[in-house]
Amino acid sequence: MSVLWWIRHGPTHAKGMVGWTDLPADLSDANRLKRLAETLPDAPVISSTLDRARATADAIQGNRPRLPDDPDLREIHFGDWEMRTHDDVSAEDPDRIRAFWDQPGDNRPPGGESWHDLQARVDAAADRLLARGGDVIVVAHFGAILTQYQRVARLRTTDAFAQRIENLSLSRFRYADPAEIQAINHHP
C-alpha cells in the first residue's frame, strides 16, 4: 500500500489567480520548514516544475532522494485570467467566471484548463508515483492537492472546493487498490 505525502508550497503572497505563473515562494519560516521536514518519512521527494514548489521541495528534502520534477503536478492553468483578481475578471465576464467556480468540471477560463483537465493530469502523475510503490513526498499546489483529496475522499467537486489546503500544509493520503483509496488525514 502506498502513501503520497502532499505538501503545498510556501506562500507567494500574490493577489489574484496564480496558476502557471512562476512566482517564488516565501520560505523565510525556517522553523516551520524544519518541523515539516522532521514529520516526513525517509522517502523520495518530487515537485511540480514551478519554482515555488521546487524551492519548497529543496527546503524540506534533507538527505532524501529527489525524483525529476513533473509538470503534471502544476497548479490549474488560469489562461487569460492568470494573475488577475476575481473581481477584475467578474467585471468583464461575470457569467463565465461564475460558471467556473459554481459549476466546476468542464468550464474553463479562456486559454486555460477546466477542473476535469487538472484532475486528469494530476491523477496521471499520482498513478505514476503509485506504480513505483512505497511512500513519496509530493510538493505541489492547492488545486493539485485538492484533486487528490477529492479522489481519496470520494467527494463531489463542489464539496472538494470547500476544503482548505494551507501553504506548507501536509495532506497524507493512502492509496490501496483504486477501489479502496482513502484519506488518512489532512493537516491544514
Side-chain angles (χ1 to χ4, degrees):
M1 190 162 313
S2 297
V3 175
L4 298 184
W5 301 68
W6 292 87
I7 297 169
R8 184 174 178 200
H9 61 78
T12 65
H13 307 298
K15 306 293 184 221
M17 291 179 263
V18 181
W20 286 16
T21 301
D22 207 5
L23 298 177
D26 175 356
L27 300 174
S28 60
D29 191 342
N31 288 331
R32 186 169 180 192
L33 288 165
K34 181 178 185 271
R35 285 190 312 272
L36 180 59
E38 290 170 347
T39 302
L40 299 170
D42 184 17
V45 177
I46 189 171
S47 75
S48 91
T49 56
L50 295 172
D51 186 59
R52 58 192 182 268
R54 290 174 49 231
T56 302
D58 290 344
I60 56 96
Q61 179 180 354
N63 293 324
R64 297 172 184 94
R66 186 69 176 265
L67 300 175
D69 300 337
D70 188 339
D72 285 345
L73 295 170
R74 283 179 169 222
E75 181 60 276
I76 194 167
H77 189 346
F78 287 111
D80 294 349
W81 297 348
E82 189 75 22
M83 296 303 297
R84 298 180 67 199
T85 66
H86 180 276
D87 291 344
D88 182 35
V89 174
S90 186
E92 272 178 29
D93 198 351
D95 293 337
R96 183 176 264 174
I97 197 166
R98 189 174 351 349
F100 179 78
W101 293 114
D102 293 345
Q103 300 160 2
D106 291 323
N107 293 307
R108 61 179 50 89
E113 289 182 298
S114 71
W115 182 256
H116 289 158
D117 296 334
L118 173 66
Q119 274 182 318
R121 179 166 52 78
V122 179
D123 282 356
D127 289 346
R128 286 191 301 273
L129 293 172
L130 294 170
R132 293 176 47 85
D135 293 3
V136 178
I137 300 163
V138 185
V139 182
H141 309 270
F142 173 79
I145 298 167
L146 200 59
T147 67
Q148 297 307 289
Y149 187 70
Q150 179 181 358
R151 182 181 182 186
V152 298
R154 296 185 178 107
L155 299 175
R156 293 177 308 146
T157 304
T158 52
D159 293 333
F161 272 25
Q163 306 303 311
R164 294 180 56 102
I165 309 286
E166 300 292 335
N167 291 106
L168 298 176
S169 66
L170 168 62
S171 300
R172 184 173 60 135
F173 302 136
R174 177 176 293 144
Y175 298 75
D177 178 283
E180 299 175 13
I181 293 173
Q182 60 181 323
I184 295 176
N185 61 19
H186 171 73
H187 300 283

